[in-house]
Amino acid sequence: MKLESNSAEETFEIGKRLGKEAKAGDVFCLFGDLGVGKTVFTKGFAVGLEVTDTVNSPTFTIVQEYKGRLSFYHFDVYRIEEPEEMEEIGYEDYFYGDGVCMIEWAGQIEELLPEEAVKIHISKELQKGTEYRLITIEKP
């Protein structure tokens, strides 16, 4: 599925719709360069999961946990140098548990991702002088 977003608000709303559909055990993986809207998408996703806390990028803690209609685990693995570092935080308990995971910079740990993970690619595109985001959602 390919979606276009012309604003941060639209990116947020696309994330929100996907969050409303999420179910226990789902793992979502975000791919995209700096500044494409991964965290904005994740904030919308959290609202769709009925998370009421403010969601921020967990850049320095790797994972933040939130409560909503399901437990929500927001990962930012940008600073992971070796996938083995994920073992230190017990990633399998998150990935294969009853909550929902959103992993920013998922390419850093691609070999650890479950086969059934949903991959979301966000890219900046330019058409007729107008910049927009192309959001590609790949479900297994």
Side-chain angles (χ1 to χ4, degrees), residues 16-34:
K16 182 177 172 181
R17 285 196 317 260
L18 196 59
K20 285 182 178 182
E21 298 170 6
K23 56 190 181 319
D26 282 350
V27 176
F28 296 86
C29 303
L30 282 170
F31 299 85
D33 294 333
L34 279 171

Side-chain angles (χ1 to χ4, degrees), residues 58-64 74-77 80 85-86 89:
T59 301
F60 297 103
T61 58
I62 300 177
V63 64
Q64 291 283 352
H74 179 203
F75 289 81
D76 184 329
V77 297
I80 295 288
E85 293 176 51
M86 292 294 290
I89 62 166

